[in-house]
Amino acid sequence: MATLTAASLTSCGGGGDKSDAPQADPSEAFTPAEQEEEVVPDTWPLTGIQVADGETAAKKHPILVTKIDNTVSASPQAGLGEADLVVEELVEGGLTRLAVFFYSQIPDNAGPVRSMRASDIGIVPSEHATVVTSGAADVTIRRISDAGIPFIQEGGPGMYRDSSRNAPYNLMVHLNDTAKSFKQKAVRPADYLPWGDGSDLPKGKKATTLAASFSGGHSTQWEFDGDHYVNTNSNAAPDDQFPADTVLALQVQVGDAGYLDPAGNKVPETKFEGQGQAWLFHNGRVIRATWHKDSLTSTLSLDFKGQTLTLPAGHTWIELVPAGPRNVTWQK
């Protein structure tokens, strides 16, 4: 992973956090040891989709996990249409934030970029990934750094302020510039999820609409249109929607991160490890399963009545929903 160096930059997410924060230095990025006759899998690590002829899944940049605001104030979100995978997580005030994963495609523009949370330790891959963020509170910076997760914040390659947007929702990133700033040997990250072709999926039940409720004030809603799942209350532009082939809703435990935001709200921390209930929505049907993750850095696995499931190759949106009754609902 990239080397962390000290820099004094101003964060602009999560209520104007400020810190003297270690930064990912793209010029000193991790370079894996030379391997003889290394065979690079011919599928993308974040989707399981086979690469096109003449392409390779080994890139000269890491996975760029970009923290993007998910409120009406962020409209229109930019870049989601070119993302490989999205994880939605709870933040303070009952709202949510997106960890948007870019690798097979890198958009020119993405954002609005906001701050990290300790929850990201269980979301961001432990190797070959860098967080693109506005910054974070000091306690979060320390925990992210202790976890060995590199990040780039405001002032880093590609970051800029869009004068047509209101602060703090105006920090954007030319993500192509960020990707080009890395100097490393081409490497393919490990698969983020256990990918398959869908042949092992149980029939499940018909489910053409669903809702993932994070709080009394926010529920993310989806509708299957016969091809993809459409986020019907998305903050992205109509032509920049995430093309979800699968929505994976996971009930998780949520704790207290141990500090308050500037408005006095407790900051929640998603515990993305252990096990819990899972709902896999694919092709207009739902399969109820159990998810397992031995540690924050482990790969997720899914179990259905003793059978290990794979995720159908494609674009997946993961909802990390607080555990509770009727937090994941659907209709035929």
Side-chain angles (χ1 to χ4, degrees), residues 174-198:
H174 290 307
L175 212 57
N176 268 318
D177 291 341
T178 310
K180 291 174 183 176
S181 69
F182 284 84
K183 309 298 181 186
Q184 65 178 48
K185 177 185 174 181
V187 60
R188 181 194 185 275
D191 285 344
Y192 189 76
L193 292 168
W195 302 113
D197 59 10

Side-chain angles (χ1 to χ4, degrees), residues 68-72 75 77 80-81 86-88 96-98 100 208-214 218-225 227-247 316-319:
I68 294 182
D69 192 88
N70 195 39
T71 65
V72 174
S75 300
Q77 296 164 325
L80 267 65
V86 175
V87 179
E88 183 172 8
T96 64
R97 191 154 294 174
L98 307 181
V100 185
T208 57
T209 64
L210 67 117
S213 297
F214 287 82
H218 178 75
S219 176
T220 301
Q221 300 167 15
W222 297 90
E223 182 176 323
F224 183 64
D225 67 1
D227 187 22
H228 294 97
Y229 287 87
V230 178
N231 181 187
T232 56
N233 60 338
S234 172
N235 294 303
D239 61 349
D240 200 11
Q241 297 277 329
F242 180 73
D245 298 297
T246 300
V247 177
T316 301
W317 183 297
I318 300 176
E319 305 279 21

Side-chain angles (χ1 to χ4, degrees), residues 31-310:
T31 301
E34 293 289 337
Q35 297 182 14
E36 294 182 2
E37 299 181 1
E38 181 180 5
V39 178
V40 177
D42 61 357
T43 55
W44 294 111
L46 300 178
T47 64
I49 297 172
Q50 188 165 357
V51 301
D53 290 344
E55 285 192 272
T56 175
K59 296 288 189 179
K60 292 184 178 180
H61 61 75
I63 296 167
L64 298 175
V65 184
T66 306
K67 297 305 301 289
I68 294 182
D69 192 88
N70 195 39
T71 65
V72 174
S73 300
S75 300
Q77 296 164 325
L80 267 65
E82 295 180 79
D84 286 329
L85 180 144
V86 175
V87 179
E88 183 172 8
E89 61 189 287
L90 182 69
V91 292
E92 55 274 16
L95 304 175
T96 64
R97 191 154 294 174
L98 307 181
V100 185
F101 288 57
F102 296 100
Y103 186 71
S104 68
Q105 300 182 91
I106 303 295
D108 177 61
N109 197 42
V113 180
R114 298 301 303 277
S115 57
M116 301 180 290
R117 295 293 183 273
S119 303
D120 294 322
I121 296 171
I123 293 171
V124 179
S126 58
E127 292 185 330
H128 309 309
T130 292
V131 182
V132 179
T133 175
S134 64
D138 289 346
V139 61
T140 302
I141 290 286
R142 289 193 296 271
R143 292 188 60 188
I144 294 286
S145 299
D146 289 345
I149 299 174
F151 59 91
I152 296 172
Q153 62 178 352
E154 185 171 8
M159 296 282 203
Y160 74 100
R161 290 281 176 175
D162 183 346
S163 60
S164 68
R165 295 173 179 257
N166 295 323
Y169 310 99
N170 62 346
L171 181 62
M172 307 293 288
V173 58
H174 290 307
L175 212 57
N176 268 318
D177 291 341
T178 310
K180 291 174 183 176
S181 69
F182 284 84
K183 309 298 181 186
Q184 65 178 48
K185 177 185 174 181
V187 60
R188 181 194 185 275
D191 285 344
Y192 189 76
L193 292 168
W195 302 113
D197 59 10
S199 61
D200 63 344
L201 289 184
K203 183 178 180 180
K205 297 181 179 180
K206 187 175 181 180
T208 57
T209 64
L210 67 117
S213 297
F214 287 82
S215 68
H218 178 75
S219 176
T220 301
Q221 300 167 15
W222 297 90
E223 182 176 323
F224 183 64
D225 67 1
D227 187 22
H228 294 97
Y229 287 87
V230 178
N231 181 187
T232 56
N233 60 338
S234 172
N235 294 303
D239 61 349
D240 200 11
Q241 297 277 329
F242 180 73
D245 298 297
T246 300
V247 177
L248 180 61
L250 307 175
Q251 279 202 349
V252 296
Q253 297 299 317
V254 177
D256 185 349
Y259 65 99
L260 305 179
D261 73 359
N265 297 307
K266 289 185 177 180
V267 176
E269 180 179 348
T270 295
K271 308 292 187 180
F272 196 20
E273 62 180 333
Q275 66 179 43
Q277 294 186 72
W279 292 263
L280 193 163
F281 294 89
H282 181 74
N283 201 29
R285 306 190 73 82
V286 60
I287 298 149
R288 189 164 182 168
T290 303
W291 67 267
H292 302 268
K293 201 164 178 279
D294 292 338
S295 68
L296 292 175
T297 58
S298 298
T299 300
L300 182 82
S301 64
L302 293 173
D303 175 85
F304 175 79
K305 298 181 179 180
Q307 171 190 353
T308 299
L309 300 181
T310 58

